[in-house]
């Protein structure tokens, strides 16, 4: 992953998502897509992630919608209740703020409140991430909110292969899944998945093994973890990287096993550090491995502020490779 | 509101049978709560029986229903089994939702009761999804989506009606206009003169009807159902009605002028409908038999609810996800 | 607080809130109230918290609104931008899900995004809490979401005196404040505040001193902490209680000082434990006091499920005094 | 759309002066971005100059404005100083918002520019709050709230218009209908025939006007402003217009039929308005002088933006709360 040079078979992250939806739609006629501008007439999505799908599967199954996020998610919930597997696109993650009721009070709860009579196998795809110069209302990482909601799964991929496997699994999963993409990451390339490549939900991966400390992250954090690990290796520090892939419920077993081995950890995410997902992961590690740890688990995240527009402030505010290295050095003394 | 000829005798009997079950159930719930036999927050439906009975008489059991916290009348009219319904209200394991949902979240797919929501307006976008599924599936089903006058002030109403309209979804939006949202009169919250006007503003086929008149309500419902089944899209029905026992049990309706309440009770749809049956030469004995049968259903259901067990505590780990959550 | 017997001057929590708003409206003509059914014609609020205020200050300043939470919060944001101090009531906390955009993308960010040219001194009052038999959509504790949003203050009181002081401070504060009330707690009585009683935002209190372990909580957790502390005292365990009062940004100084003394801590809240606010507080304690702790910081919260309707399941799911005692015993060995 | 007599010469000159500043600013932004001098996401406003210029000519500088990401024309028409505006677009410390807001979040209370939002529809409820403050304060101000056709599909539009209507708030809802929301034509998203129809459905005074016709637009704006200032409440103005350069810079408008774009460009409001001035015996020299003055303002502003410093990194800790956040 740290090697970003393009290889013959490399594909872009956005393309992997497109392939996953294509496969899901081919495999199961109950898979439908809903979202703003997602059909080809409207350009196949503002980031072209759904390009070509309405051509192949028709605009009955790939529907461009009005700017009505509550109606989009609600329609997906309703169709999911009676056997469809809708994939609703909420263009940017900040826009889930107008659809939280449908996501939290309905998608997440209808299975439970119906005593298991119904289920809501929908997937909500949404993208976000700073570094794009879009400012305060288009870049927030809000996964901590969703992770706190029982009944929702929250997923983020860090490379095209995982994106393919995880999105396919999300669509086929019988629970509501929030699938978080990274806007600047759409154009990052990586090895292409085999058509039958799968990644189960709820299982973290270990893309890099190491012995001195475990770096735990997901999505946009993973490339920075790799870069930091490369750099730290020069100082003789061996980092293991755990890519959560499913943020909630997360794979405690893999995390705890790794940290039990390295006896030190840093949790890394782009979201605001304060009250972020890193707090839960850190707490779980302390609760389970307190006496084995060499030092308290570190956390890296972005600063306590809305995402700033101006590049210089945005950079100072945002989590970085430097922050990871600094945190590792602090922990390992 | 156009006046309508009276509908067929059989239909009226059908509507009455449903409406009487609702009325008696509502009375019984209020009695049992008053007597301390049930400890629940209860949203009375007395006064609105005919609206949903006439509506549901116009659809099939496998058509879908989405309703709200004040949904007892809709659920019963749709044909939900009383025993499981009562048990759910009582929080028992034998309830429709194993006691996990409760009165505000009744679900029973076997009778088409797909969602009951406690969030004002939120059923509307979900109803569209059911309608979308039917449209894609070409299964000929319609979805009835019930909500109140107050709900038409919230964003989901607007987004939902518009989406249904542009996609010609087979959904009937049944606004049961009882003039009050909690304690606030519609005139203080609604810029338009009617809810129908809002539907028209969204380009939707919209009708206003006296929901308490069984024939008028049934006719409006049937037309909307036929329209939807023919693939012509949704209808907004604004059914004028009233609620006699406040927003929730215990609410004294202090905010309703005395004369308004008195007039509404004079126009109580239930005795009117009953009299219509008698006028159509249905014998008092036949009507009484319907009532007796309903009473027996309710007695059995209430007893079943009381006799059933509560779910075990650790049921909370089941049905959160598709797999059980570890303790 | 653990003594709930009524004393002559005791008042109900709801009454304290009413008094605070009354004082704020008397002190400052810019204080206005917006919310569903809040004026006297509509009963002075469904829980009567605003009863009498429209009579005193008129329906221009105390406005019953349509069921339009986005419009309610939006109107409050707009008026706040030009010098008003609006108090918007969102009847139950689950309904913030339809207004999250106004709260998060606007109220919290406009000061920052305007470079400090404007500010949004609004207060959003909302109530919630399980144990009321209202089921899955009327009882959620969602403070963790709001705590994660830079620019918002999040406040919860545990007794009438604090409620009075904190609500007054929230209304007068120049930042947007989310003031979280507890539905069953409305009817709990406690000593009445003096008219000039104030409680600053951002300062925790220590309602009970102790030496063996610190119990950290807020709102509905505090009465359970007191009850557990009473019980644990019988076993010779001395608990100190920290009532955060302001959940975010929270008073790290007081928390860390207490735990530095007791060398053990449990964080308690009614919200779902997983990814709750307790995770942040626990993490901060570990980060700062790792080597001084006798054991990892414990956490008590509710289970991973929507709030169940049936009393038996609701009870099993919900955090409890027992859970606190068990956690303390686990930590102290 | 009613046709209107031409408004006073002075007013037309005023409108042209604002509109030309907008047009030239838009051209300059696109040039500088194309040349790599600025690296920003830019929402072009070419084609919509007259709508906002005529609207803002009808209000005072201390009236309030709430607008959207595509807001450059509104902000300039409202009188925001070009230097600070350009500096903010460039993310500089000298910008209106010290570079923290950027193009999508321009604020400048001194000229009444209170909020610029990037969330579709969300300015509407906030505009009500400004209107509410004016109503309480009795300061006689009006609030202009700008948004697009696509925004009328979202819940906040519905909730906001209704609240303004029932409270008779002094707010003018200016829907700049350019027929497209991002890449989707209005006909595919909107169940009603017009946006005006939606306003009427909500009981609001609603007008549709050719926004590209300076006189018609000014007249509609003036009437709405007078109506609001007189305490008679809000107006929805649906101003028909078009955007010539896609949703954002780089968008090729592939989804717009060639003929539609050609026709729109033939109807370009700017040359039409310019010709109207000449027809009113304003000399070519006088018009050219206005244009030259605008060009100079823009040159100076662009240079100021380029020359200004970026904010220091730790500015992110300031203006989050009223007190600085610790590092
Ligand atoms: C989003 C939201 N806001 C507020 C409430 C609280 N609430 C419950 S019912 C109700 C009144 C609804 O009135 P209406 O739609 O007319 O239905 P009715 O109760 O009259 O049948 C309100 C405000 C809620 N449940 N959801
Ligand atoms: C709630 C929300 N959903 C989606 C978007 C993405 N988006 C930005 S602009 C836009 C189109 C808006 O169209 P319209 O209201 O007609 O305004 P125009 O851009 O044409 O001026 C969309 C969908 C958004 N910013 N906010
Ligand atoms: Mg009502
Ligand atoms: Mg548009």
């Amino acid at each position: 992953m740290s090697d970003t040079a393009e290889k013959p078979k490399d594909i872009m992250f956005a393309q992997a998502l497109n392939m996953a939806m294509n496969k899901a739609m081919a495999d199961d006629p109950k898979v439908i897509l809903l979202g703003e501008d997602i059909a080809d007439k409207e350009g196949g999505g503002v980031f072209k992630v759904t390009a070509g799908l309405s051509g192949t599967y028709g605009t009955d199954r790939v529907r461009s919608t009005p700017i009505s996020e509550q109606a989009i998610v609600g329609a997906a919930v309703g169709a999911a209740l009676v056997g469809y597997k809708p994939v609703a696109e909420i263009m940017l993650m900040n826009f889930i703020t107008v659809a939280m009721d449908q996501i939290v009070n309905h998608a997440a709860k209808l299975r439970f409140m119906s005593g298991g009579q119904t289920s809501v196998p929908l997937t909500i795809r949404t993208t976000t991430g700073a570094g794009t110069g879009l400012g305060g209302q288009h870049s927030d990482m809000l996964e901590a909110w969703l992770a706190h909601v029982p009944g929702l799964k929250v997923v983020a991929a860090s490379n095209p292969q995982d994106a393919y496997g995880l999105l396919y699994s999300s669509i086929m999963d019988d629970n509501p899944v929030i699938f978080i993409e990274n806007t600047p990451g759409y154009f990052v390339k990586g090895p292409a998945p085999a058509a039958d490549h799968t990644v189960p939900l709820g299982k973290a991966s270990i893309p890099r093994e190491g012995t001195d400390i475990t770096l735990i992250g997901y999505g946009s954090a993973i490339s920075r973890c790799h870069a930091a690990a490369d750099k730290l290796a020069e100082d003789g520090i061996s980092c293991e990287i755990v890519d959560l892939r499913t943020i909630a419920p997360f794979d405690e077993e893999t995390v705890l096993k790794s940290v039990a081995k390295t006896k030190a950890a840093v949790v890394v995410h782009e979201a605001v550090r304060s009250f972020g997902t890193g707090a839960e992961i850190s707490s779980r590690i302390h609760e389970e491995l307190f006496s084995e740890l060499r030092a308290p688990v570190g956390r890296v995240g972005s600063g306590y502020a809305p995402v700033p527009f101006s590049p210089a402030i945005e950079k100072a505010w945002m989590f970085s490779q430097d922050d990871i290295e600094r945190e590792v050095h602090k922990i390992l003394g | 509101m156009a006046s309508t000829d009276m509908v067929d005798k059989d239909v009226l009997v059908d509507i009455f049978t449903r409406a009487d079950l609702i009325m008696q159930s509502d009375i019984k719930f209020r009695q049992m709560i008053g007597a301390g036999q049930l400890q629940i927050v209860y949203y009375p439906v007395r006064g609105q029986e005919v609206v949903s009975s006439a509506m549901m008489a116009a659809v099939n059991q496998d058509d879908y229903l989405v309703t709200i916290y004040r949904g007892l009348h809709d659920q019963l009219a749709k044909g939900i089994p009383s025993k499981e319904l009562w048990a759910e209200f009582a929080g028992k394991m034998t309830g429709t939702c194993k006691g996990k949902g409760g009165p505000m979240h009744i679900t029973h797919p076997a009778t088409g009761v797909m969602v009951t929501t406690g969030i004002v307006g939120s059923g509307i976008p979900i109803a569209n999804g059911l309608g979308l599924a039917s449209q894609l599936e070409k299964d000929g089903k319609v979805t009835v989506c019930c909500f109140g006058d107050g709900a038409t002030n919230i964003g989901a109403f607007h987004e939902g009606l518009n989406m249904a309209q542009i996609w010609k979804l087979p959904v009937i939006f049944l606004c049961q206009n009882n003039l009050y949202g909690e304690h606030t009169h519609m005139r203080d919250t609604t810029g338009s003169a009617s809810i129908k006007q809002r539907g028209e503003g969204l380009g939707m086929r919209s009708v206003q009807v006296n929901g308490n008149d069984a024939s008028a309500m049934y006719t409006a419902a049937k037309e909307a159902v036929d329209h939807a089944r023919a693939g012509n899209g949704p209808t907004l029905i604004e059914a004028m009605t009233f609620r006699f026992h406040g927003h929730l049990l215990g609410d004294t309706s202090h905010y309703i002028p005395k004369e308004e309440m008195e007039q509404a009770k004079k126009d109580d749809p239930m005795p009117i409908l009953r009299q219509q049956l008698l006028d159509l030469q249905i014998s008092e004995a036949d009507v009484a038999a319907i009532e007796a049968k309903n009473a027996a259903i309710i007695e059995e259901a209430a007893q079943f609810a009381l006799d059933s067990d509560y779910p075990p505590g650790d049921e909370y780990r089941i049905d959160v996800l598709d797999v059980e959550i570890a303790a």
Side-chain angles (χ1 to χ4, degrees), chain A, chain B:
Chain A
M1 282 291 74
S2 57
D3 177 6
T4 51
E6 188 175 340
K7 294 182 209 91
K9 280 218 187 123
D10 280 1
I11 62 165
M12 287 198 304
F13 195 101
Q15 217 176 325
L17 298 171
N18 186 283
M19 287 164 60
M21 286 185 274
N22 196 352
K23 180 165 175 7
M25 295 194 81
D27 288 357
D28 189 338
K30 296 286 187 178
V31 177
I32 57 173
L33 314 188
L34 300 168
E36 292 157 18
D37 300 305
I38 65 169
D40 290 335
K41 188 173 149 208
E42 291 80 29
V46 286
F47 299 109
K48 302 214 174 301
V49 176
T50 51
L53 298 174
S54 72
T56 309
Y57 302 102
T59 49
D60 261 2
R61 288 179 65 196
V62 181
R63 294 195 176 214
S64 287
T65 66
I67 309 172
S68 308
E69 280 80 5
Q70 295 191 62
I72 294 168
V73 178
V77 169
L81 286 172
V82 289
Y84 278 80
K85 297 187 174 115
V87 183
E89 177 177 307
I90 300 295
M91 195 181 290
L92 287 170
M93 191 167 207
N94 279 82
F95 313 156
I96 68 166
T97 53
V98 293
M100 283 302 275
D101 165 59
Q102 286 296 334
I103 299 172
V104 173
N105 288 326
H106 296 90
K109 291 177 180 170
L110 287 176
R111 178 196 290 270
F112 185 83
M113 296 195 310
S114 73
Q117 293 177 96
T118 57
S119 65
V120 187
L122 81 81
T123 303
I124 296 176
R125 290 182 41 243
T126 189
T127 185
T128 190
T132 55
L134 284 168
Q137 292 180 334
H138 282 64
S139 320
D140 280 341
M141 304 289 306
L142 302 172
E143 64 273 16
W145 295 1
L146 302 157
H148 188 45
V149 178
L152 291 183
K153 293 188 179 178
V154 186
V155 171
S158 66
N159 63 72
Q161 271 180 352
D162 278 2
Y164 179 82
L166 287 167
L167 181 53
Y168 187 86
S169 294
S170 298
I171 296 171
M172 295 305 167
D173 198 83
D174 199 34
N175 304 287
V177 180
I178 315 293
F179 190 91
I180 304 171
E181 302 163 12
N182 182 250
T183 317
Y186 275 150
F187 313 103
V188 174
K189 293 199 168 191
D196 61 354
H197 180 69
T198 60
V199 179
L201 300 192
K203 291 274 165 239
S205 68
I206 304 201
R208 178 182 186 122
E209 293 191 18
T211 50
D212 297 330
I213 191 164
T214 304
L215 307 180
I216 303 156
Y218 51 84
S220 63
I222 298 301
S223 62
R224 267 102 164 169
C225 287
H226 278 288
D230 287 346
K231 189 77 198 315
L232 290 161
E234 293 171 17
D235 303 331
I237 298 172
S238 162
C239 297
E240 179 147 311
I241 297 177
V242 174
D243 182 348
L244 288 181
R245 305 198 293 198
T246 298
I247 303 170
F250 77 97
D251 181 357
E252 291 198 14
E253 196 184 319
T254 300
V255 168
L256 295 176
K257 217 171 123 189
S258 172
V259 182
K261 180 180 81 175
T262 60
K263 304 196 187 317
V266 177
V267 193
V268 185
H269 54 57
E270 177 173 335
V272 167
R273 191 182 116 118
S274 188
F275 294 93
T277 58
E280 176 70 25
I281 297 157
S282 164
S283 295
R284 290 297 299 134
I285 297 170
H286 287 120
E287 282 157 14
E288 297 298 325
L289 300 172
F290 183 74
S291 53
E292 300 177 44
L293 289 169
R294 280 186 267 178
V297 176
R299 283 188 296 158
V300 169
S302 296
Y304 183 82
V307 182
F309 167 69
S310 188
I313 336 182
E314 190 187 32
K315 191 158 181 284
W317 163 86
M318 196 173 173
F319 91 121
S320 69
Q321 179 186 336
D322 276 2
D323 295 338
I324 303 171
E325 292 170 26
R326 209 176 4 252
E327 194 76 8
V328 168
H329 281 300
K330 199 179 95 189
I331 287 173
L332 298 184
Chain B
M1 283 180 272
S3 76
T4 331
D5 292 339
M6 216 177 276
V7 296
D8 280 358
K9 203 164 148 174
D10 289 355
V11 173
L12 274 195
V13 171
D14 180 7
I15 295 172
F16 177 78
T17 306
R18 300 177 200 237
D20 177 71
L21 180 70
I22 296 165
M23 181 180 73
Q24 291 200 52
S25 298
D26 182 79
I27 293 169
K28 179 83 177 174
F29 267 118
R30 285 186 283 115
Q31 272 173 2
M32 288 179 65
I33 295 166
Q37 287 178 285
L38 275 177
Q39 276 149 358
I40 57 173
V41 176
Y42 179 69
Y43 300 86
V45 299
R46 203 50 273 286
Q48 301 188 197
E49 298 91 342
V50 167
V51 175
S52 35
S53 296
M55 179 74 238
M56 303 315 162
V59 300
N60 303 324
Q61 194 156 72
D62 67 353
D63 287 320
Y64 298 130
L65 170 67
V66 175
T67 185
I68 59 172
Y69 52 91
R70 189 186 320 286
L72 179 68
H73 54 325
D74 300 325
Q75 293 141 5
L76 287 171
K78 190 71 178 60
I80 204 168
S82 283
K83 282 166 68 174
E84 285 90 329
L85 177 93
W86 276 80
E88 187 62 29
F89 269 63
K92 299 301 177 70
M93 191 65 183
T94 53
T96 48
C97 313
K98 303 186 210 157
K100 295 180 184 181
M104 267 205 267
H105 305 300
I106 299 296
T107 303
H108 193 255
T111 52
V113 183
M114 299 308 297
V115 176
T116 301
T117 183
I119 309 293
V120 166
S122 295
I124 296 171
I126 300 177
N128 282 345
L130 298 168
L132 175 59
S134 293
Q135 187 182 67
L136 291 170
E137 207 80 336
K138 297 186 179 52
D139 62 13
K141 291 185 191 177
V142 301
T143 297
V144 177
C145 179
C146 298
F147 50 87
D149 46 292
T152 71
N153 293 312
I154 205 158
F157 165 82
H158 177 81
E159 294 189 13
L161 262 69
N162 180 55
M163 185 176 277
Q165 178 60 22
I166 57 169
W167 290 351
K168 287 187 179 296
L169 299 177
V171 182
I172 292 137
F173 297 102
L174 177 58
C175 177
Q176 304 187 14
N177 187 348
N178 57 21
L179 298 177
Y180 287 86
E182 289 197 350
H183 310 165
T184 306
H185 194 280
M186 175 186 166
R187 85 173 73 82
D188 295 327
T189 61
T190 312
S192 57
S194 67
I195 309 304
K196 172 174 181 265
Q197 186 181 338
R198 294 183 161 183
E200 286 166 348
L202 290 163
M204 186 175 290
R205 179 175 182 271
S206 304
V207 297
Q208 192 188 49
V209 64
N210 178 355
N212 287 352
D213 175 337
S215 293
M217 181 63 215
Y218 179 81
T219 305
K222 192 73 175 60
E223 282 170 7
V225 171
D226 292 346
H227 185 79
R229 282 212 218 282
N232 295 323
T235 298
L236 170 68
I237 301 177
E238 177 181 11
M240 304 310 296
T241 185
F242 209 77
R243 54 167 162 75
F244 295 163
H245 294 281
H247 175 61
L248 43 73
L249 195 59
D251 168 5
T252 59
S253 301
H254 53 84
Y255 47 87
I256 300 181
K258 221 174 126 230
E259 314 73 53
E260 189 181 3
M261 181 62 94
E262 271 167 15
Q263 186 58 50
K265 288 198 173 163
K266 264 193 213 133
D267 298 339
D268 187 339
M270 290 309 295
I272 293 174
L273 177 56
R274 191 178 198 281
Q275 188 57 47
Q276 282 175 354
L277 295 196
L278 298 176
D279 291 349
L280 286 167
Q281 313 303 333
I282 299 170
S283 71
E284 172 65 38
D286 284 353
V287 173
I290 293 172
E291 292 165 337
K293 200 174 152 206
N294 282 336
I297 290 172
I298 293 166
E299 277 312 316
E300 189 196 20
Q303 201 53 53
F304 177 76
L306 292 177
D307 291 347
S308 293
D309 290 332
Y310 284 107
D314 60 5
E315 261 292 324
Y316 81 79
R317 295 187 286 99
I318 299 167
D319 300 326
V320 181
L321 294 173
D322 57 348
V323 295
E324 188 172 329
I325 306 300

